Amino acid sequence: MHFGILGETRAWRDDGAEVPLGGPARRALLALLLVHSGQVVSVDRLTEEIESGTALSAHALQSQVSRLRSALGPVVTIERAGAGYRIVVADDDVDARRFERLAAEGQAVLRDGDTGRAVALLREALELWRGPAALADLAESETARAAAVRLEELRLGALEDRIEGELRLGEHRAAVPELRELVGRHPLRERLAGLLMRALYAEGGQAEALVVFEKTRQHLADELGADPSAELVALHRELLSADPSPSLAAPPAQLTSFVGRAEEVAEVADLLRVARLVTLIGPGGVGKTRLSVEVTEVVADDVCFVELAPVRDGAGLPRALLGALGLRENGLHMEGGPQTPVDRLIAALSDRVLLIVLDNCEHVVEETAALAARLLATCPRLRVLATSREPLGIIGENVWQVRPLDGDAAVRLFTDRAGAARRGFAADPRLVRRICAALDDLPLAIELAAARLRTLDVHDLAERLDDRLGVAARGNRTADERHRTLRSVVAWSWDLLSEPEQRAARRFTVFTGGATAEAAQRVCGTDGETLEALVDKSLLEVARGRYRMLETIRAYGAERLDEAGERESARRAHAGRFLDLVRTADPYLRRAEQLEWLPILAAEHDNLLAALRWAVEAPRTATALELLASASTYLWIRGVSAAVAPYAVTLLDAIGATPPDGLGEEYATCVLLAASDRPTWQRHRATAQSALAASWPGTRAGRYPAALLLWMMRNAIEADPQGAFALVSSQRDCPEPWARATARYVSGFDPLSGGDIAAAERTFGAAVEGFRSLGDRWGTALALDVLAGLAGGRGDRAQAIALTDEALALTGQLGALEDSADLLVNRGDHLDDPAAARADYAKAADLARRAGSSTYLAAALRGLGDIALLEGALDEAERLYVEALERIDPHWVKSLGNRVRTLAGLGRVAEERGEHSAARGRYREAAEAAGPPGALLLLGLPEALVEAVSKR
């Protein structure tokens, strides 16, 4: 039997039939017993509260109990116990108890990140309410009023949790009206105001969201004489200023009109609204990519467009997606650990509403299928639109066949493109139809043919095209569709080029990801006029200052490059051009011009990798070493050094233990870039340190100053930390100013380890000034972070926060999500306001998740664990600490402080529980992780924590 007290008291049998309960007194009796189900309710309370103003006699009460037993039947027990009565029912048989269970489960699941399930549980809980929580049959009862207040508060909390989940799922628009009504009825409830602000902001209503904050602030001041909470103030600050966020790769800009597929765009868009994976399949040149671009224009989700054509093999897929998402692979302090690019993708996409377009999957179709399946399984709000010559072949895939244009659309496309090539173009539609039919109505073939009308009459075009039909018809029937239908079109278009145009086109195929005009002219050995001619003839396209070549044409041109015997010379010219680029850019990356040069190098990232791959495989050892070393500063600042690690490992395997003559510093930098491979690092570390020391004797400058800083950070907790520190510190009088600033930074740790805080601060301050005088934001932020830790350690929290805020502004300019997360955790550590600290830790966790950074997420979880411990929530603190400990990588110096804090936090949890033996064990682990007692000071740990760890 089931009972309802959320509204009028009612009872139903298991078959759904309602049980007649009788008059008000009997309903009130049942309501009182159900409010306290499983507990004894005294006779005195029952007789006083069943009817307002008239107490029942004991005999009358006994009579009502008897009649209620008869109404409910033998399936429900109402037993006499001591001086009262008790009803024995399962908790889930009472709607209020079931509501409480479902609401609590929904809240817990929401906290754990399973948003879809949480929303379903919370909706189920709220649907149990049939009216206000007034317990109508006990309207005047003191018990009823207390129960009503408690249940109403739980209902509001469940409503807030449900709306929180819906906002995470992207249901902002539907939530706004309900939130407006709720905020109107509960103007002092800050969480509702915050949810409304978030929903309005997500719908583009930033100004409205700010108005909500101001009204809430005024209500709090007028009614309670209080200010808004730290969480609401933090949300207000976020609305006023944009946070650093990854820039999604947008679909390529289109230079021509879209002809003939309007209905397909609408149908594919509708399919994507109900399906999470749609694959557009069809032959090469049929228009799959263009259709996918047009679909993204009508889909409401954010869109990330991933071009897979440059990806050489399946191993590069996750990094290509990371790059398209705008996510760096490392942070300022060089996060390490075993986390894979796929793990980072899952962490970044787990709770994000996004449509990812995977374009040109056919050459890596198996690996793409595996990656798409895993992402879709672990990221419930993600959708994927793929283009390929064949289906991915995974469960849940919706395959959409992209077919050639119908006859009328093909004629319209040809006429449109011909009009662009020749002003006033007009031709017999039947002739145009014959041309299009000969081209199989494939859009790319039609566009290439129409472009020829710049130099040919339409009748000449038809004749030449007719001459080519036999070639296509007699092609290899076992070849893929692209080569059976488009090879003849591309070959014919190619044959119409002049020799200088053909040479430029085939040499252009060595570029990956396009090229600037200057790079194309140098590598192709051509001039701007020839490049423009190739654009006019649709062999190249130009957008946003870069030339690009369609992949079909690029594949054909690459074959022609091999036939001409020019691949080696073109690759050599390509590598030489990008070696010159990184050599030129490198010194500017440590100056104020770094914001100008970083985007330039980022645009050429794929070309840099292609040049490096050729140099390693050729092999061209000297070129490969110089490419790696010259690009190292860019790779480290942008956090993408993991992309070159495999090449660095391969190169070191080929070189062996002896650096090439004159390239010792390049060799050492290569070892640093390969350091994530522990065996390689162990084999080459000692030789690399000797080579680096020889290159930087202190009296003259080496070539790659950033290697000094990274060498110290990599070796700070390795076998010879003192040697690494001494090497960098020896550059105090080096003629290279960035190296001098780095030496000051490293030298500051010497007085710090001896307890001379003032001298350490002076030295780190000099490092800040050194980096700042050069305009380098990276080094400045690094040194400011240490100064902030020292200020916090001596109790000057205001100064620590000010310095951290300054560093955060710099990392924001660099677009460093991970570095911003790290600094937010540090600021949270300095704050004495637990609510504000929690907001910083939570924001850091969000940034770390968006960046897919396990180490910085661990730091944020550790901070949240500290807050939970402070509030006495020992179980929650332990859960957060354990999760943080699982994510921390012990091999990186930046992880050391958080590891010590986490272990000490677990010790404090055990101590609070009275588990003194376990506490001592955790403190011992923390002390061993920290190393010598002086190392605790180097970590900038609070005095209380140092004292706790020292208990070991």
Side-chain angles (χ1 to χ4, degrees):
M1 187 170 291
H2 305 284
F3 300 91
I5 58 174
L6 297 179
E8 184 183 16
T9 307
R10 300 172 70 180
W12 301 268
R13 294 189 177 88
D14 288 344
D15 61 2
E18 186 167 356
V19 178
L21 297 175
R26 206 168 307 146
R27 290 179 181 275
L29 171 62
L30 178 59
L32 271 173
L33 292 173
L34 290 172
V35 167
H36 302 284
S37 63
Q39 303 175 28
V40 176
V41 185
S42 70
V43 169
D44 290 342
R45 172 173 286 189
L46 291 171
T47 57
E48 288 175 3
E49 295 194 11
I50 285 178
E51 290 186 355
S52 176
T54 303
L56 290 177
S57 66
H59 177 73
L61 175 63
Q62 185 177 6
S63 175
Q64 291 293 346
V65 170
S66 177
R67 292 175 184 176
L68 182 59
R69 285 171 174 158
S70 298
L72 297 178
V75 296
V76 177
T77 300
I78 300 176
E79 59 186 20
R80 182 67 185 254
Y85 293 89
R86 174 173 56 202
I87 189 169
V88 181
V89 294
D91 281 350
D92 254 19
D93 289 341
V94 183
D95 59 0
R97 295 299 176 88
R98 179 172 171 79
F99 161 76
E100 291 186 54
R101 179 183 64 78
L102 290 170
E105 288 180 12
Q107 184 183 62
V109 172
L110 182 66
R111 186 172 56 244
D112 292 339
D114 191 349
T115 308
R117 181 164 171 258
V119 169
L121 287 168
L122 291 162
R123 285 174 177 167
E124 183 182 352
L126 291 165
E127 286 170 0
L128 294 171
W129 285 71
R130 295 171 289 108
L135 298 168
D137 296 294
L138 287 169
E140 301 299 324
S141 164
E142 181 180 345
T143 298
R145 285 194 296 273
V149 169
R150 188 180 71 84
L151 287 168
E152 180 63 20
E153 180 63 26
L154 290 175
R155 186 182 73 86
L156 281 172
L159 269 172
E160 290 169 338
D161 288 338
R162 191 210 77 207
I163 295 171
E164 170 77 34
E166 289 169 345
L167 294 186
R168 292 187 191 179
L169 294 174
E171 300 173 13
H172 309 97
R173 184 169 301 173
V176 168
E178 182 181 11
L179 281 168
R180 287 189 193 278
E181 191 270 334
L182 287 169
V183 169
R185 287 195 286 114
H186 305 280
L188 300 180
R189 202 168 179 94
E190 292 185 70
R191 187 181 180 194
L192 285 174
L195 290 169
L196 178 56
M197 290 164 66
R198 288 168 52 193
L200 289 169
Y201 182 75
E203 289 300 306
Q206 182 180 20
E208 278 191 274
L210 293 172
V211 170
V212 171
F213 173 83
E214 182 57 29
K215 288 183 177 179
T216 303
R217 186 194 65 76
Q218 191 65 49
H219 278 301
L220 289 168
D222 293 344
E223 299 293 328
L224 304 177
D227 293 326
S229 66
E231 290 87 346
L232 200 63
V233 171
L235 179 59
H236 180 245
R237 283 201 304 266
E238 290 183 25
L239 292 175
L240 291 173
S241 61
D243 293 327
S245 59
S247 176
L248 298 175
Q254 301 303 306
L255 307 178
T256 58
S257 60
F258 186 60
V259 177
R261 297 197 192 275
E263 291 184 3
E264 291 181 61
V265 169
E267 291 171 3
V268 173
D270 287 341
L271 181 57
L272 270 172
R273 293 185 181 100
V274 296
R276 297 186 58 218
L277 172 61
V278 176
T279 304
L280 306 180
I281 67 168
V286 78
K288 302 183 294 295
T289 297
R290 183 62 185 269
L291 178 58
S292 72
V293 170
E294 298 298 326
V295 168
T296 64
E297 293 293 322
V298 298
V299 174
D301 294 351
D302 287 340
V303 176
C304 177
F305 196 93
V306 189
E307 298 180 358
L308 297 184
V311 175
R312 190 181 184 205
D313 52 41
L317 274 173
R319 291 196 176 97
L321 185 48
L322 281 172
L325 289 166
L327 299 178
R328 297 169 43 185
E329 292 175 10
N330 289 320
L332 178 63
H333 297 295
M334 292 190 66
E335 166 206 344
Q339 188 184 48
T340 68
V342 174
D343 293 330
R344 292 172 57 76
L345 285 171
I346 292 172
L349 298 174
S350 61
D351 202 30
R352 187 166 185 178
V353 178
L354 185 67
L355 171 64
I356 292 180
V357 180
L358 300 176
D359 187 43
N360 290 316
C361 302
E362 51 269 3
H363 61 302
V364 285
V365 65
E366 293 184 4
E367 296 87 349
T368 302
L371 179 60
R374 185 169 179 191
L375 290 178
L376 289 168
T378 53
C379 308
R381 304 166 72 190
L382 181 69
R383 298 181 189 278
V384 173
L385 176 62
T387 73
S388 178
R389 288 202 303 254
E390 61 181 298
L392 300 186
I394 59 179
I395 294 175
E397 180 183 30
N398 287 259
V399 177
W400 183 277
Q401 178 76 49
V402 182
R403 301 187 181 280
L405 295 171
D406 63 47
D408 290 342
V411 170
R412 290 201 309 274
L413 177 63
F414 184 92
T415 303
D416 179 85
R417 301 301 190 259
R422 174 175 291 186
R423 188 183 299 273
F425 170 78
D428 182 349
R430 291 174 296 181
L431 178 61
V432 174
R433 179 72 199 105
R434 183 163 67 87
I435 293 172
C436 293
L439 297 171
D440 292 332
D441 293 326
L442 292 168
L444 176 59
I446 291 170
E447 294 196 5
L448 290 171
R452 301 283 67 77
L453 293 178
R454 184 180 297 276
T455 55
L456 292 175
D457 179 83
V458 67
H459 295 283
D460 293 334
L461 176 65
E463 289 179 6
R464 294 191 181 211
L465 189 60
D466 287 342
D467 290 341
R468 301 289 178 175
L469 292 180
V471 175
R474 293 192 296 271
N476 183 358
R477 292 184 179 275
T478 65
D480 60 66
E481 188 71 11
R482 171 182 290 183
H483 289 90
R484 284 200 288 136
T485 59
L486 289 185
R487 177 179 290 277
S488 61
V489 176
V490 177
W492 163 70
S493 180
W494 192 277
D495 290 342
L496 293 179
L497 299 176
S498 65
E499 173 52 34
E501 290 170 348
Q502 286 189 359
R503 183 174 186 274
R506 63 179 178 255
R507 291 179 70 87
F508 190 91
T509 63
V510 299
F511 286 103
T512 302
T516 63
E518 179 276 329
Q521 290 179 36
R522 173 172 167 179
V523 174
C524 299
T526 189
D527 54 23
E529 184 177 344
T530 301
L531 292 176
E532 290 304 317
L534 291 173
V535 172
D536 288 342
K537 297 173 182 178
S538 298
L539 271 295
L540 290 180
E541 57 184 24
V542 61
R544 294 187 287 271
R546 293 181 69 83
Y547 288 94
R548 296 182 183 276
M549 179 176 278
L550 295 173
E551 284 304 308
T552 301
I553 300 171
R554 185 168 176 260
Y556 184 88
E559 295 176 2
R560 304 288 77 76
L561 185 68
D562 287 336
E563 290 177 0
E566 297 178 39
R567 177 169 293 278
E568 179 68 12
S569 66
R571 283 292 180 192
R572 186 167 58 250
H574 179 266
R577 193 272 169 185
F578 289 102
L579 177 56
D580 287 347
L581 176 66
V582 290
R583 281 173 172 166
T584 301
D586 183 63
Y588 293 106
L589 297 180
R590 297 180 295 278
R591 304 179 194 167
E593 296 89 345
Q594 61 188 179
L595 293 185
E596 173 188 347
W597 280 93
L598 283 170
I600 292 173
L601 294 179
E604 303 294 357
H605 184 78
D606 290 336
N607 277 313
L608 285 171
L609 293 184
L612 178 62
R613 181 169 59 245
W614 169 80
V616 170
E617 293 175 355
R620 300 273 179 169
T621 301
T623 299
L625 283 173
E626 290 179 66
L627 269 169
L628 280 170
S630 299
S632 60
T633 306
Y634 152 73
L635 295 167
W636 283 320
I637 291 178
R638 294 296 291 226
V640 292
S641 61
V644 304
Y647 302 119
V649 171
T650 300
L651 189 59
L652 289 170
D653 287 344
I655 291 173
T658 304
D661 290 341
L663 296 173
E665 191 175 358
E666 287 80 358
Y667 166 87
T669 307
C670 182
V671 172
L672 270 174
L673 290 167
S676 58
D677 184 87
R678 299 293 294 176
T680 299
W681 169 252
Q682 295 295 344
R683 285 197 303 271
H684 295 274
R685 190 192 68 81
T687 305
Q689 179 150 321
S690 298
L692 201 59
S695 301
W696 289 85
T699 55
R700 58 177 174 81
R703 293 182 289 275
Y704 310 105
L708 288 171
L709 178 58
L710 272 297
W711 189 264
M712 183 276 294
M713 294 180 69
R714 166 59 70 173
N715 283 274
I717 52 176
E718 294 284 346
D720 185 23
Q722 293 305 317
F725 273 74
L727 170 62
V728 184
S729 298
S730 69
Q731 307 304 313
R732 282 188 291 264
D733 298 319
C734 178
E736 211 289 330
W738 198 88
R740 290 200 303 273
T742 299
R744 292 190 185 100
Y745 171 79
V746 173
S747 297
F749 290 99
D750 187 46
L752 180 60
S753 64
D756 191 347
I757 306 300
E761 286 189 317
R762 288 194 299 272
T763 307
F764 288 123
V768 168
E769 292 307 313
F771 288 125
R772 186 179 281 147
S773 68
L774 296 170
D776 173 38
R777 296 153 184 84
W778 187 40
T780 303
L782 188 67
L784 285 172
D785 188 25
V786 179
L787 283 174
L790 292 178
R794 67 168 184 270
D796 191 349
R797 297 187 175 187
Q799 178 67 1
I801 292 169
L803 291 168
T804 304
D805 285 345
E806 186 178 354
L808 271 167
L810 297 175
T811 58
Q813 292 177 37
L814 292 170
L817 281 180
E818 293 136 322
D819 302 334
S820 296
D822 182 45
L823 288 164
L824 281 167
V825 170
N826 295 344
R827 187 171 69 181
D829 290 343
H830 299 314
L831 291 169
D832 56 7
D833 180 354
R838 178 189 284 110
D840 270 354
Y841 295 139
K843 185 176 178 182
D846 179 60
L847 289 176
R849 288 190 180 97
R850 286 157 58 188
S853 171
S854 179
T855 292
Y856 291 113
L857 178 56
L861 293 172
R862 186 274 305 161
L864 290 170
D866 290 347
I867 298 298
L869 178 60
L870 183 66
E871 294 175 345
L874 299 183
D875 291 344
E876 177 68 1
E878 183 179 45
R879 183 188 69 79
L880 289 164
Y881 285 139
V882 169
E883 184 177 354
L885 196 61
E886 290 171 351
R887 294 175 179 272
I888 291 174
D889 172 53
H891 297 295
W892 288 98
V893 64
K894 191 61 181 178
S895 300
L896 185 55
N898 276 306
R899 179 173 171 79
V900 173
R901 287 175 181 265
T902 303
L903 290 167
L906 286 169
R908 291 164 64 193
V909 169
E911 195 169 28
E912 289 291 325
R913 289 172 171 164
E915 300 168 358
H916 300 297
S917 176
R920 285 193 297 273
R922 286 300 191 182
Y923 290 143
R924 188 179 303 109
E925 287 183 73
E928 290 170 357
L936 295 171
L937 294 172
L938 290 174
L939 296 174
L941 301 180
E943 291 181 5
L945 188 56
V946 172
E947 180 181 353
V949 172
S950 299
K951 292 179 180 181
R952 57 170 122 182

